[in-house]
Amino acid sequence: MLAAAPTNALPRWKGFNVLDFFNPDPKHRRQHTTQEHFRWMADWGFDFVRVPMAYPYYVRFDRSRPIMPHEVYQIDEQQVQHVVDLVEHANRCGLHVCLNLHRAPGFCINAGFEEPYNLWKDPEAMEAFVFHWAYWSKLFRAKTRDQISFDLLNEPCLREDMNDQFSQRSAVPKERYRSLIVKGCETIRASDPGHLVIADGNNIGNEVIDNILDLDVGQSCRGYAPGLVSHYKAPWVFEHPEHLPEVTWPSVENGQVHDKAWLREQFAPWIALVEQGGGVHCGECGAWKETPHHVALAWMDDMFSVLTEHDIGFSLWEFDGTFGILNSERKDVAYEDWYGQKLDRKMLDLLTKFV
């Protein structure tokens, strides 16, 4: 008799990132995800939303200058209520919400906001990091694991220059990252021992964290390989996007064939983690608007097939926007009018194959 395939310790959630609180400045909030949007997701068969938050969105400070260390603690209850409302709307529609600190005190994968210290070097930054998770976990202490999870930090890495988008990046030393995860877990579970905690893979979400299997923490990987397909001509990724070659899928890059078998190799460490009893979810994935539509769909079909084979769910970046199924600004898509929104029906049909 054949042994049963290993079961992922995390649910095989399928859904989207929503970017309502992604920008550090509430005045530049570009999305207002409503209960109607969540109802569409649920009706289409999805069950998950990830909410990447920039902490300056919900704190009060003088935005005419860089934030000061003491201002990191000045919670703006009015902005917090926006987060609470979004969580409640999603839960009412049966969707699990994963709260993520996309920008934490002292660190963000993106440039564009000057931090008062460095999360990986300064104890003051770690204290602030713990303060913010204490706040959110206490605020949502009545929520169940089916309703909410807490994704500690988006895409951890070391950066030579926090203000330079193209600065060199590397993995965080293992024990340093474990220390942050331990402190985050202890803080969150002080509010509710049952809270579900997730940690993004090391080195921009790409590397399995191999020294936390004792912590009952899920891990979040990324579905952006190869970058030439996922971020074709993206100016925040390529310094000279106009010089990129034509992109295809499958493809050959520097003599290496990129196809479904290659994708399976890329996800092999995450598949192995599931086989060891760990929990894995692909917290971000997708292709930017400049990737030819047929290329994006072919690549996504192969990627989601590999993930589904191993009981790993996914969260598209994003629902509404240049990576998403609504209003993506692609020039090679015949959009369907969906209650006044531009729906990429072919991409939606592809996604629903895996829900």
Side-chain angles (χ1 to χ4, degrees):
M1 183 175 179
L2 293 176
T7 301
N8 193 340
L10 284 179
R12 194 175 74 85
W13 294 308
K14 292 81 59 186
F16 305 90
N17 284 258
V18 294
L19 308 189
D20 295 57
F21 317 119
F22 178 76
N23 194 296
D25 189 343
K27 292 182 180 178
H28 296 145
R29 178 179 176 181
R30 66 182 182 86
Q31 291 188 359
H32 292 268
T33 309
T34 67
Q35 189 159 337
E36 183 178 34
H37 293 129
F38 292 134
R39 201 171 292 121
W40 294 345
M41 295 181 198
D43 287 347
W44 288 327
F46 299 100
D47 58 6
F48 177 90
V49 288
R50 183 172 180 263
V51 185
M53 301 187 299
Y55 79 90
Y57 178 94
Y58 59 82
V59 299
R60 290 178 286 102
F61 66 100
D62 182 352
R63 295 178 184 271
S64 69
R65 54 160 172 75
I67 193 169
M68 300 177 67
H70 73 276
E71 293 173 322
V72 167
Y73 294 90
Q74 296 177 173
I75 301 295
D76 186 333
E77 300 293 343
Q78 182 178 351
Q79 303 304 338
V80 165
Q81 189 60 47
H82 295 159
V83 180
V84 172
D85 290 344
L86 185 144
V87 172
E88 294 297 339
H89 290 332
N91 282 168
R92 287 192 197 104
C93 293
L95 304 176
H96 177 94
V97 176
C98 181
L99 282 187
N100 164 250
L101 274 185
H102 188 276
R103 177 175 292 278
F107 175 78
C108 184
I109 190 65
N110 299 121
F113 183 89
E114 187 173 337
E115 293 294 336
Y117 32 43
N118 187 316
L119 179 59
W120 306 116
K121 297 179 180 179
D122 302 317
E124 298 88 349
M126 184 65 75
E127 291 171 8
F129 174 82
V130 168
F131 168 84
H132 281 262
W133 277 123
Y135 180 86
W136 289 112
S137 58
K138 184 177 181 180
L139 186 66
F140 291 117
R141 63 186 178 275
K143 295 287 185 184
T144 68
R145 290 169 70 100
D146 290 336
Q147 293 174 311
I148 201 164
S149 57
F150 302 90
D151 183 348
L152 295 171
L153 182 67
N154 185 72
E155 299 182 355
C157 65
L158 298 182
R159 296 182 57 183
E160 292 179 349
D161 183 350
M162 291 289 289
N163 294 314
D164 179 2
Q165 189 65 35
F166 297 103
S167 66
Q168 193 66 34
R169 305 168 191 183
S170 60
V172 179
K174 289 183 178 182
E175 289 306 314
R176 196 179 307 176
Y177 189 24
R178 176 184 163 87
S179 176
L180 177 140
I181 295 169
V182 168
K183 290 177 181 177
C185 282
E186 290 175 347
T187 300
I188 290 170
R189 287 173 177 157
S191 297
D192 179 357
H195 271 328
L196 178 55
V197 179
I198 296 173
D200 279 14
N202 204 341
N203 200 11
I204 323 180
N206 292 314
E207 297 179 8
V208 168
I209 316 161
D210 60 8
N211 61 344
I212 63 165
L213 292 179
D214 59 312
L215 297 182
D216 182 27
V217 173
Q219 297 194 35
S220 179
C221 65
R222 293 295 177 266
Y224 291 137
L228 187 63
V229 173
S230 66
H231 287 75
Y232 189 58
K233 294 187 177 181
W236 68 93
V237 175
F238 300 101
E239 290 193 74
H240 301 286
E242 68 278 6
H243 297 156
L244 292 176
E246 182 181 357
V247 64
T248 63
W249 185 261
S251 63
V252 178
E253 187 176 341
N254 298 322
Q256 170 70 58
V257 175
H258 291 166
D259 56 11
K260 188 174 182 179
W262 180 85
L263 285 173
R264 193 171 283 110
E265 292 175 4
Q266 303 307 300
F267 285 112
W270 300 100
I271 294 167
L273 179 58
V274 170
E275 292 172 345
Q276 295 167 32
V280 177
H281 182 256
C282 185
E284 292 184 21
C285 54
W288 194 48
K289 65 178 183 178
E290 292 298 326
T291 305
H293 198 233
H294 69 281
V295 174
L297 295 182
W299 167 71
M300 290 166 67
D301 196 0
D302 281 348
M303 176 171 60
F304 294 141
S305 293
V306 171
L307 292 172
T308 302
E309 286 172 8
H310 299 281
D311 202 31
I312 299 173
F314 61 86
S315 180
L316 191 72
W317 186 282
E318 54 203 311
F319 179 62
D320 180 352
T322 53
F323 281 77
I325 61 171
L326 291 181
N327 309 309
S328 62
E329 302 176 10
R330 296 181 182 275
K331 298 181 179 67
D332 55 352
V333 172
Y335 290 103
E336 174 183 329
D337 179 71
W338 183 262
Y339 298 95
Q341 309 295 312
K342 294 182 178 180
L343 173 63
D344 183 345
R345 174 62 70 174
K346 286 186 177 180
M347 186 174 289
L348 173 59
D349 287 346
L350 172 65
L351 295 177
T352 56
K353 282 176 53 178
F354 302 98
V355 300

